[in-house]
Amino acid sequence: MKVTQGHRDYRQPPDRKSMHARIVRDLGMRIVAGEFAPDERLPQEAALLSEYEVSRPVLREAIRVLVAKGLVLSRQRAGAIVRPRGEWHLLDPDVLYWLIQSKPQPEFVETLLTVRRVFEPAAAAIAARAASDEDLRSIAEAYARMEAAQTAGDLLEPDLAFHRRIAEATHNDLLAYIGTMLSLALRESIKLSSRLPNTHALSLPRHKAILTALENRDPLAAQQATLVQLKETREDLDMILEWTNQVATKRAAD
């Protein structure tokens, strides 16, 4: 199987301009990756000031951001202490992105697909009952833009919008929020699956089946169509990961 290249690797962090943002990203990544264990203190302030070559206010503001994301507690004279993993704000976009970056691709794929299998079929079933006519038009518009896409890159944003609008069509604020927060991880999954040369042809019928079920206001059909789409997405991703592993093995042997 030939898999197209050209997408930036999902582990590569986005460009950041400010030193404050760089410190937040670096310390956040190190915490999520396990360099600092739960209940362990981060390095002393003096050590971090020296490492990052910044002023005390800049460093302290970065720590406050990590506190807000649930990664650390900041105690006077005790410094910043890493919180237990279960207390992290995993749906925070930055924390979720760091989690994606820190995981090997197969583990990331398995984690995301497990969450999607729990969330998306149920959301589609609820949307089939709760969606307004305007909601259905909005989902159909996202699908139309998927149809019109000329490249895998063009397909990405309407694909994300399609899934996000289904969550919004549940008219459940918490489900809509979860759908929005999952968009970041879903973006990386779609980028990975779009390495297949026929990704457009594969994706459209799956999404059309979901849209048809929603328009027919058939909860069971919407749930089943979503399960089928996720099953076939898993098969696509398994092919890509297998190909990637074969390439890596061949390069290591050369």
Side-chain angles (χ1 to χ4, degrees), residues 3-92:
V3 177
T4 58
Q5 302 296 313
H7 290 300
R8 184 173 67 181
D9 188 276
Y10 77 98
R11 296 179 186 80
Q12 182 178 340
D15 294 332
R16 299 293 181 92
K17 294 182 180 180
S18 71
M19 194 62 201
H20 163 266
R22 288 175 57 193
I23 296 169
V24 170
R25 185 190 68 205
D26 184 61
L27 288 176
M29 273 291 299
R30 292 164 71 182
I31 292 168
V32 170
E35 182 176 335
F36 304 112
D39 298 321
E40 181 180 347
R41 288 182 178 84
L42 295 185
Q44 293 294 322
E45 185 177 82
L48 292 173
L49 290 172
S50 175
E51 178 179 353
Y52 292 111
E53 299 181 339
V54 293
S55 65
R56 184 172 283 106
V58 170
L59 177 63
R60 289 183 175 176
E61 178 57 29
I63 297 298
R64 279 194 288 270
V65 173
L66 295 175
V67 170
K69 295 178 183 298
L71 295 182
V72 300
L73 291 170
S74 183
R75 294 175 178 166
Q76 194 171 11
R77 293 188 296 276
I81 301 171
V82 177
R83 296 177 68 176
R85 193 179 185 90
E87 297 178 7
W88 297 350
H89 300 169
L90 292 179
L91 289 181
D92 177 281

Side-chain angles (χ1 to χ4, degrees), residues 71-118:
L71 295 182
V72 300
L73 291 170
S74 183
R75 294 175 178 166
Q76 194 171 11
R77 293 188 296 276
I81 301 171
V82 177
R83 296 177 68 176
R85 193 179 185 90
E87 297 178 7
W88 297 350
H89 300 169
L90 292 179
L91 289 181
D92 177 281
D94 283 332
V95 177
L96 182 57
Y97 192 82
W98 299 332
L99 186 67
I100 293 169
Q101 288 181 280
S102 69
K103 285 181 176 290
Q105 278 186 329
E107 187 177 343
F108 159 65
V109 167
E110 182 60 38
T111 297
L112 176 61
L113 285 176
T114 297
V115 174
R116 292 185 69 186
R117 282 192 296 266
V118 171

